Amino acid sequence: MLMLRQSTPALASGALSRGAVIGAFKMMESGAGAAAVHEHGATAGLPFLGCQPWARRYAVDTLVNPSRTEHPAAGTQDDVKPAHKRVSVPPITLKAGGSFASGAVAPHPGLRADLVSARFTESCMPHPAYSLDYLETVRPTHMPPEKLYQLAGFRTIQMARWVFDRVTGYSEQMTDAQWLRRIIFLETVAGVPGMVAGMVRHLKSLRTMRRDHGWIHTLLEEAENERMHLITFLELLRPGPLFRASVIAAQGIFFNAYFLAYLFSPRTCHAFIGFLEEEAVKTYTHALAEIDAGRLWKDAPAPQIAVHYWGLPKDATMRDLILAVRADEACHAHVNHTFSKMAPNQTNPFASGTSQLP
C-alpha cells in the first residue's frame, strides 16, 4: 500500500477513481509481473467502501495454470452442440491471496451505488453493472459433484428440470410469450432461496447473539437481484389469474421445503442452488441463440427499468437485457457453489462491492 500511495497521489488523498486505481495497479503489475487485475469488476466511486481496504482487495497476486482451458478441445462432440448445451469449466475457487483468472465469474462485478437515484426507487441496493466485453464471455459452466450433498443437490435439480421442461413444453424453438411465461415463473421461484437463507442466518444471529460473518448481505442481495429480474420481465407480460395461482402454490411449497432443508443442511441447499443457477445460464444462453437467429425479440427494446437497474445504454435491446441477466445467474451459481464448500461459521469471501475473492 505504501508503494501504491507513492505512485498515485490521488489515492493517498482519498480521491479514488476507477481509472486511477487501474492505472496504479498496472504500474505495480509491470514491476512485479504477477499481479492480475480483474478490470470487468471495477467498482467506481462507492462512498461506503474505504479507499485502503478496497484497494487492498482489488489487486491480488495469482498464479494461473496455463494448461487450464475453458473451451472443449477441437474435434470433440461439444463442437456440434448448441451453445446452451455446451458447458465450460466452472469458475475458479481461490484461496486467500488469489484473484479471478481471465474468464472466471465474479460475484456481481461492478456493483454501482450511483445507479440508485430518486427517480428509481424499486431497488435501493447497489445494482450490478457489467462491461459489454464481460457479458459476451459468460458461458454455461458445470461444477462436477464430488461429495454426497453435492450429488443430492445435482440429482434433485436434474429431476426438477426434466419435469418442468415437459410440463411447460420447453423446446428448441418457442414463441415470445412462451419464453416470457417460463422466465417469469422461474424468477418467482429463484427469488426465494436467498431470502430464506438470509432470514435463517439473521434469526440465528439474533438467537445465539453471535456474528453472522457477513453472509446475510450477499444472500439478500441475491434475492433482490432475482426479484428485479421478475419485475423487469413483468413489463413485457402480465400473467393471468391461473398463472398467478400457480405461482402462489409453487411459492408456498418451495418456501417451506427450502426453509426446512436449510435448517437441516445449508451446504446441500447452496449446492442445490448452484446447480439451479447453472441451468438458468443454459436457458438464457439458449434465449440468446434464438435472438441471434432472429426468431426471438428481434430488435425489441429493453424495458426502461432494465436500463436504470443494470446501467444499460439508453437504446439497449432485449439481447442486452438477456446478457445482463445471464451474467447475474452465473454469479449466483459461483457464489452458491462457494458457500456450499464452506462451514457456516466461516467468513463470507464475497465482500460487498468487490469483484474477486479476498
Side-chain angles (χ1 to χ4, degrees):
M1 285 305 298
L2 180 59
M3 182 189 302
L4 177 60
R5 285 179 175 271
Q6 291 174 345
S7 61
T8 311
L11 289 182
S13 62
L16 181 63
S17 70
R18 181 175 185 269
V21 171
I22 294 176
F25 284 120
K26 282 186 175 180
M27 292 174 62
M28 296 173 64
E29 185 181 24
S30 62
V37 179
H38 184 64
E39 294 184 2
H40 300 305
T43 303
L46 294 184
F48 52 86
L49 297 177
C51 173
Q52 293 183 17
W54 188 92
R56 284 197 298 270
R57 289 195 298 264
Y58 189 88
V60 282
D61 295 334
T62 184
L63 294 177
V64 181
N65 183 353
S67 64
R68 183 184 181 89
T69 177
E70 296 198 7
H71 302 279
T76 64
Q77 292 183 353
D78 280 344
D79 291 339
V80 296
K81 291 182 179 179
H84 62 284
K85 293 187 177 181
R86 296 196 300 266
V87 294
S88 303
V89 294
I92 303 169
T93 301
L94 302 162
K95 298 180 180 179
S99 70
F100 281 99
S102 175
V105 178
H108 283 168
L111 284 173
R112 289 174 54 186
D114 61 298
L115 293 177
V116 181
S117 66
R119 294 179 302 167
F120 186 75
T121 58
E122 183 60 34
S123 178
C124 295
M125 289 184 176
H127 303 177
Y130 307 96
S131 73
L132 296 179
D133 291 340
Y134 175 81
L135 290 175
E136 295 289 351
T137 65
V138 176
R139 58 184 65 88
T141 63
H142 177 57
M143 180 77 70
E146 299 174 351
K147 305 291 185 179
L148 181 60
Y149 71 89
Q150 293 174 320
L151 186 61
F154 179 59
R155 294 304 182 195
T156 303
I157 285 298
Q158 281 189 314
M159 180 177 65
R161 169 138 201 179
W162 186 88
V163 172
F164 187 73
D165 284 354
R166 278 147 186 80
V167 169
T168 60
Y170 180 72
S171 62
E172 287 299 313
Q173 296 184 18
M174 299 189 295
T175 65
D176 293 15
Q178 287 176 313
W179 271 106
L180 286 171
R181 283 195 293 267
R182 179 183 179 86
I183 290 172
I184 289 173
F185 186 88
L186 289 175
E187 295 296 355
T188 65
V189 174
V192 172
M195 181 60 66
V196 171
M199 177 191 71
V200 170
R201 292 190 66 94
H202 174 77
L203 294 176
K204 181 180 179 180
S205 179
L206 299 177
R207 185 173 64 252
T208 61
M209 292 175 279
R210 293 180 180 178
R211 295 176 59 185
D212 170 67
H213 303 288
W215 290 46
I216 293 175
H217 180 88
T218 298
L219 293 168
L220 296 184
E221 184 180 87
E222 175 186 315
E224 172 69 353
N225 180 246
E226 297 286 10
R227 188 184 72 86
M228 287 306 301
H229 292 177
L230 170 65
I231 297 300
T232 300
F233 286 108
L234 285 174
E235 294 290 310
L236 304 172
L237 178 69
R238 291 292 177 178
L242 183 60
F243 188 98
R244 293 175 181 273
S246 65
V247 168
I248 293 172
Q251 187 179 98
I253 296 171
F254 185 62
F255 179 93
N256 288 284
Y258 194 81
F259 171 72
L260 294 174
Y262 201 87
L263 291 176
F264 178 73
S265 178
R267 180 170 287 184
T268 303
C269 288
H270 284 298
F272 171 85
I273 298 304
F275 293 120
L276 173 65
E277 300 292 7
E278 287 182 0
E279 295 302 316
V281 174
K282 292 179 184 178
T283 297
Y284 284 115
T285 301
H286 180 193
L288 284 168
E290 292 296 293
I291 293 174
D292 292 339
R295 293 188 291 265
L296 179 65
W297 296 315
K298 187 175 181 180
D299 300 324
Q304 194 60 31
I305 193 173
V307 173
H308 287 302
Y309 183 69
W310 281 279
L312 299 175
K314 292 182 179 180
D315 59 348
T317 64
M318 283 298 295
R319 186 180 191 278
D320 298 320
L321 169 60
I322 297 299
L323 281 171
V325 173
R326 182 179 67 167
D328 287 344
E329 306 294 12
C331 294
H332 299 325
H334 176 60
V335 169
N336 279 279
H337 278 314
T338 301
F339 281 165
S340 74
K341 297 179 181 180
M342 296 172 57
N345 60 350
Q346 285 185 275
T347 301
N348 173 18
F350 302 108
S352 176
T354 61
S355 60
Q356 67 283 310
L357 292 171

